Amino acid sequence: MINKKGTLEAGWNFDNSYSHLPQLFYAHLNPTPVSSPHLIKFNGPLAESLGLNAQALRSDEGIETLAGNRIPEGAFPLAQAYAGHQFGYFNMLGDGRAMLIGEQVTPLGERYDIQLKGSGRTPYSRGGDGRAGLGPMLREYIISEAMHGLGIPTTRSLAVVMTGESIIRETYLPGAILTRVASSHLRVGTFQYAANRGKAEDLKDLADYTIHRHYPDVGDSKDRYLRLLQEVIRRQAALIAQWQLVGFIHGVMNTDNMAISGEIIDYGPCAFMDVYDPATVFSSIDRDERYAYGNQPNIALWNLSRFAESLLPLLHEDAQQAITLAQDELAVFAELYYHHWLAGMRAKLGIGNEEQEDESLIEGLLGMMYKHGADYTNTFLALTFGQLENLAMYGSNEFTQWYERWQARLSRQEETKTSSNDLMRSSNPAVIPRNHRVEAALEAAVEQGDYSVMDQLLDVLSNPYAHTSEQADFAAPPPKSDVPYQTFCGT
Ligand code: AMP
Ligand code: MG
């Protein structure tokens, strides 16, 4: 749409519900302007689904908005307050380098936070500079869009602008701002903050706001806060099972990085596992392996326990009864998680019905994968496409026996061979964002200003269940190296 001045309108349609929460939940301020913003990445399809005009956002005026230099009409920029357990230790935190610009209400009536990450200092910045580097922001762009392609609930990436300024880390890095889109940025840590800093009313306001925004079916019954806890536990159980099924390692599952909406949030040192090993850790700062692949379900439960703790005053007026209610709900997590994981594993093996012995069939496969150092993703691909000779354990007696057992199992279901194989194709991705591919894309972009490598990677990752020949080229595991792959927090 063209406005009176003859410029294209971007299509912003803000409604800033979070700003109606009590003042202690945020600080109202503008992003710190940057010297010469330059748009380098823009997500056209996402813009369209948000009701935004790509052409307008790509214009100079649009880029000024994506850089935080210009505040669009109807926006109400704010930094959110939150707390969190970081590697098990409690801290007061908050958006130290991000700002919520506003909540965009889409043509379909959905509400999304539009957040600028790397937008300058806020009252919650502590010692930090409030800025972000180009590499880490592009990394978040790639992995979040890959997760979306995999069909896993996640925050999305709308744009990356270079600020024209350098930031100081170990060396000078080009500064950048990512426009992040999330169904909200409410975190477990937001509730911890309310419970620690707020009055009883503040916690209640936050919980009611959350129910209204994310769990409207919970309604306004007297036991609604218990139902909220139940629903958050359910969504997390489903989410974490999906991580495990694709071999995703978040890397920094602090309670401030767990979203109440059930989306993945805060892509820092995350990475995908190549060789199957539950102890896999990539993050350089995760020295105790707290956030190892195999530990993610336990940590999710630990985080949810902190969420439940924060809610205790709302669960029952009697403290002891509140604890019992919370514990009963938390006790369900393991079962819910396992149910999702098992269903997903059956699908990965083309199994459409349920049998008791499926668990041991799956465990048998994982055990062999571990023993033979098999690539997680490619093992399932080889089984899907019958390329058994590609398997690390091919030729071993235990594999031959396992294979016969699996084939016998497949014959004990009503699904035809074709539908069983279709199930495998749609449950086993052809491609994941392999660490070496992500690094190559980032290096070309950051060192040479060449975005073609990243664009090609994003393209194959956008529909990982297509199983095209181009994707097959991206399936190769990393070349063998003596140096283990490490990721850094990217602040
Ligand atoms: P993260 O590790 O990205 O989840 O961040 C943890 C906390 O540190 C959050 O409160 C961030 O806002 C804050 N933070 C991270 N990087 C910076 C930075 N460069 N400047 C200010 N605050 C930061
Ligand atoms: Mg964070």
Side-chain angles (χ1 to χ4, degrees), residues 82 86 93-98 117 124-132 169 252 254 256-257 266 489 491:
Y82 51 84
Q86 299 179 297
L93 301 165
D95 287 334
R97 57 156 172 172
K117 186 167 175 181
Y124 313 112
S125 296
R126 296 174 290 167
D129 61 1
R131 294 297 185 194
R169 295 296 181 262
V252 61
N254 295 335
D256 52 301
N257 293 337
D266 271 9
C489 216
T491 49

Short mmCIF file of all heavy atoms in Angstrom, two decimals, residues 82 86 93-98 117 124-132 169 252 254 256-257 266 489 491, ligand 1:
data_model
loop_
_atom_site.label_atom_id
_atom_site.label_comp_id
_atom_site.label_asym_id
_atom_site.label_seq_id
_atom_site.Cartn_x
_atom_site.Cartn_y
_atom_site.Cartn_z
N TYR A 82 13.87 -10.30 32.95
CA TYR A 82 13.71 -11.70 33.34
C TYR A 82 14.89 -12.11 34.20
O TYR A 82 15.87 -11.37 34.33
CB TYR A 82 13.52 -12.64 32.14
CG TYR A 82 14.54 -12.52 31.03
CD1 TYR A 82 15.76 -13.19 31.08
CD2 TYR A 82 14.27 -11.75 29.90
CE1 TYR A 82 16.68 -13.11 30.04
CE2 TYR A 82 15.19 -11.67 28.85
CZ TYR A 82 16.39 -12.34 28.93
OH TYR A 82 17.29 -12.26 27.92
N GLN A 86 21.49 -19.88 35.05
CA GLN A 86 22.49 -20.09 34.00
C GLN A 86 23.45 -21.16 34.49
O GLN A 86 24.12 -20.97 35.50
CB GLN A 86 23.24 -18.79 33.72
CG GLN A 86 22.30 -17.66 33.24
CD GLN A 86 23.05 -16.38 32.98
OE1 GLN A 86 23.63 -15.80 33.89
NE2 GLN A 86 23.05 -15.92 31.74
N LEU A 93 18.54 -11.18 35.04
CA LEU A 93 19.00 -10.95 33.67
C LEU A 93 18.14 -9.88 33.00
O LEU A 93 17.97 -8.80 33.53
CB LEU A 93 18.98 -12.26 32.88
CG LEU A 93 19.84 -13.38 33.48
CD1 LEU A 93 19.48 -14.72 32.87
CD2 LEU A 93 21.31 -13.09 33.26
N GLY A 94 17.58 -10.21 31.87
CA GLY A 94 16.78 -9.25 31.10
C GLY A 94 17.40 -9.07 29.73
O GLY A 94 18.53 -9.52 29.49
N ASP A 95 16.65 -8.46 28.82
CA ASP A 95 17.17 -8.21 27.47
C ASP A 95 18.33 -7.23 27.55
O ASP A 95 18.13 -6.02 27.65
CB ASP A 95 16.08 -7.57 26.58
CG ASP A 95 14.99 -8.55 26.18
OD1 ASP A 95 15.27 -9.76 26.13
OD2 ASP A 95 13.87 -8.08 25.89
N GLY A 96 19.53 -7.76 27.48
CA GLY A 96 20.71 -6.90 27.58
C GLY A 96 21.19 -6.43 26.22
O GLY A 96 21.98 -5.50 26.12
N ARG A 97 20.74 -7.11 25.19
CA ARG A 97 21.17 -6.70 23.85
C ARG A 97 20.06 -6.94 22.83
O ARG A 97 20.31 -7.20 21.66
CB ARG A 97 22.41 -7.46 23.44
CG ARG A 97 22.23 -8.95 23.47
CD ARG A 97 23.20 -9.61 22.56
NE ARG A 97 23.14 -11.04 22.74
CZ ARG A 97 23.77 -11.88 21.98
NH1 ARG A 97 24.51 -11.44 21.00
NH2 ARG A 97 23.67 -13.16 22.19
N ALA A 98 18.84 -6.91 23.32
CA ALA A 98 17.71 -7.12 22.42
C ALA A 98 16.60 -6.20 22.85
O ALA A 98 16.55 -5.75 24.00
CB ALA A 98 17.25 -8.57 22.49
N LYS A 117 17.68 -8.06 17.80
CA LYS A 117 18.73 -8.63 18.66
C LYS A 117 20.07 -8.02 18.26
O LYS A 117 20.47 -8.14 17.09
CB LYS A 117 18.73 -10.15 18.48
CG LYS A 117 19.67 -10.90 19.40
CD LYS A 117 19.36 -12.39 19.35
CE LYS A 117 20.35 -13.18 20.18
NZ LYS A 117 20.06 -14.62 20.12
N TYR A 124 19.39 -3.66 31.38
CA TYR A 124 19.72 -5.03 31.80
C TYR A 124 21.04 -5.51 31.18
O TYR A 124 21.34 -6.70 31.21
CB TYR A 124 18.60 -5.99 31.41
CG TYR A 124 17.22 -5.49 31.77
CD1 TYR A 124 16.32 -5.12 30.78
CD2 TYR A 124 16.85 -5.36 33.11
CE1 TYR A 124 15.06 -4.64 31.12
CE2 TYR A 124 15.59 -4.87 33.45
CZ TYR A 124 14.70 -4.51 32.44
OH TYR A 124 13.46 -4.03 32.77
N SER A 125 21.81 -4.59 30.61
CA SER A 125 23.01 -5.03 29.88
C SER A 125 24.16 -5.46 30.78
O SER A 125 25.10 -6.09 30.31
CB SER A 125 23.51 -3.92 28.95
OG SER A 125 22.56 -3.63 27.97
N ARG A 126 24.08 -5.11 32.05
CA ARG A 126 25.21 -5.37 32.95
C ARG A 126 26.50 -4.89 32.27
O ARG A 126 26.52 -3.78 31.75
CB ARG A 126 25.26 -6.85 33.33
CG ARG A 126 24.02 -7.27 34.12
CD ARG A 126 23.96 -8.75 34.39
NE ARG A 126 23.72 -9.51 33.17
CZ ARG A 126 23.87 -10.82 33.04
NH1 ARG A 126 24.27 -11.53 34.07
NH2 ARG A 126 23.62 -11.42 31.90
N GLY A 127 27.53 -5.72 32.19
CA GLY A 127 28.78 -5.23 31.58
C GLY A 127 28.82 -5.28 30.06
O GLY A 127 29.80 -4.87 29.46
N GLY A 128 27.76 -5.79 29.44
CA GLY A 128 27.81 -6.04 27.99
C GLY A 128 27.61 -4.79 27.15
O GLY A 128 27.15 -3.75 27.64
N ASP A 129 27.96 -4.91 25.87
CA ASP A 129 27.86 -3.75 24.98
C ASP A 129 26.52 -3.66 24.27
O ASP A 129 26.28 -2.73 23.49
CB ASP A 129 29.00 -3.78 23.95
CG ASP A 129 28.95 -5.03 23.06
OD1 ASP A 129 28.03 -5.85 23.23
OD2 ASP A 129 29.85 -5.18 22.20
N GLY A 130 25.67 -4.64 24.48
CA GLY A 130 24.35 -4.60 23.85
C GLY A 130 24.35 -4.94 22.37
O GLY A 130 23.32 -4.83 21.69
N ARG A 131 25.49 -5.36 21.87
CA ARG A 131 25.60 -5.61 20.43
C ARG A 131 25.83 -7.08 20.10
O ARG A 131 26.12 -7.88 21.00
CB ARG A 131 26.75 -4.77 19.86
CG ARG A 131 26.52 -3.26 19.92
CD ARG A 131 25.32 -2.86 19.08
NE ARG A 131 25.13 -1.40 19.03
CZ ARG A 131 24.03 -0.82 18.58
NH1 ARG A 131 23.01 -1.54 18.17
NH2 ARG A 131 23.92 0.48 18.54
N ALA A 132 25.71 -7.41 18.85
CA ALA A 132 25.90 -8.79 18.40
C ALA A 132 26.78 -8.79 17.15
O ALA A 132 26.83 -7.81 16.41
CB ALA A 132 24.55 -9.42 18.09
N ARG A 169 35.21 -8.40 20.56
CA ARG A 169 35.16 -9.65 21.31
C ARG A 169 36.62 -10.07 21.51
O ARG A 169 37.40 -9.24 21.95
CB ARG A 169 34.32 -10.70 20.56
CG ARG A 169 32.83 -10.31 20.43
CD ARG A 169 32.12 -10.23 21.80
NE ARG A 169 30.70 -9.88 21.67
CZ ARG A 169 30.19 -8.65 21.84
NH1 ARG A 169 30.98 -7.64 22.14
NH2 ARG A 169 28.90 -8.43 21.70
N VAL A 252 22.64 -24.40 25.42
CA VAL A 252 22.60 -23.49 26.56
C VAL A 252 21.16 -23.39 27.08
O VAL A 252 20.50 -22.37 27.02
CB VAL A 252 23.27 -22.13 26.23
CG1 VAL A 252 22.60 -21.41 25.09
CG2 VAL A 252 23.39 -21.23 27.44
N ASN A 254 19.60 -22.81 29.60
CA ASN A 254 19.35 -22.09 30.85
C ASN A 254 17.87 -21.77 30.93
O ASN A 254 17.19 -21.71 29.90
CB ASN A 254 20.19 -20.82 30.88
CG ASN A 254 21.68 -21.12 30.91
OD1 ASN A 254 22.08 -22.20 31.36
ND2 ASN A 254 22.49 -20.21 30.44
N ASP A 256 16.37 -19.10 31.33
CA ASP A 256 16.00 -17.90 30.56
C ASP A 256 15.94 -18.19 29.07
O ASP A 256 15.46 -17.36 28.30
CB ASP A 256 16.98 -16.75 30.83
CG ASP A 256 18.42 -17.17 30.64
OD1 ASP A 256 18.87 -18.11 31.32
OD2 ASP A 256 19.10 -16.58 29.78
N ASN A 257 16.43 -19.35 28.67
CA ASN A 257 16.39 -19.71 27.26
C ASN A 257 15.35 -20.79 26.99
O ASN A 257 15.45 -21.52 26.01
CB ASN A 257 17.77 -20.18 26.80
CG ASN A 257 18.79 -19.06 26.81
OD1 ASN A 257 18.43 -17.89 26.76
ND2 ASN A 257 20.06 -19.41 26.90
N ASP A 266 16.64 -18.68 21.44
CA ASP A 266 18.04 -18.37 21.76
C ASP A 266 19.03 -19.39 21.22
O ASP A 266 19.55 -20.23 21.94
CB ASP A 266 18.23 -18.17 23.27
CG ASP A 266 17.99 -16.72 23.64
OD1 ASP A 266 17.52 -15.97 22.78
OD2 ASP A 266 18.27 -16.34 24.79
N CYS A 489 29.52 -19.13 22.45
CA CYS A 489 28.21 -18.63 22.83
C CYS A 489 27.69 -17.54 21.90
O CYS A 489 26.51 -17.32 21.79
CB CYS A 489 28.19 -18.17 24.27
SG CYS A 489 26.60 -18.54 25.01
N THR A 491 28.10 -14.13 21.82
CA THR A 491 27.56 -12.89 22.37
C THR A 491 28.33 -11.69 21.82
O THR A 491 29.39 -11.84 21.29
CB THR A 491 27.67 -12.86 23.91
OG1 THR A 491 28.96 -13.23 24.28
CG2 THR A 491 26.66 -13.77 24.50
P1 AMP B 1 22.28 -15.52 26.25
O1 AMP B 1 23.50 -16.28 26.60
O2 AMP B 1 22.31 -14.95 24.85
O3 AMP B 1 21.02 -16.25 26.53
O4 AMP B 1 22.30 -14.22 27.20
C1 AMP B 1 22.28 -14.28 28.59
C2 AMP B 1 22.10 -12.90 29.14
O5 AMP B 1 23.20 -12.08 28.81
C3 AMP B 1 20.87 -12.16 28.64
O6 AMP B 1 20.36 -11.39 29.68
C4 AMP B 1 21.44 -11.31 27.54
O7 AMP B 1 20.63 -10.18 27.28
C5 AMP B 1 22.78 -10.91 28.12
N1 AMP B 1 23.75 -10.58 27.07
C6 AMP B 1 24.33 -11.42 26.19
N2 AMP B 1 25.16 -10.76 25.38
C7 AMP B 1 25.13 -9.46 25.74
C8 AMP B 1 25.78 -8.28 25.28
N3 AMP B 1 26.64 -8.30 24.26
N4 AMP B 1 25.47 -7.12 25.90
C9 AMP B 1 24.61 -7.08 26.92
N5 AMP B 1 23.97 -8.16 27.40
C10 AMP B 1 24.23 -9.34 26.82
#
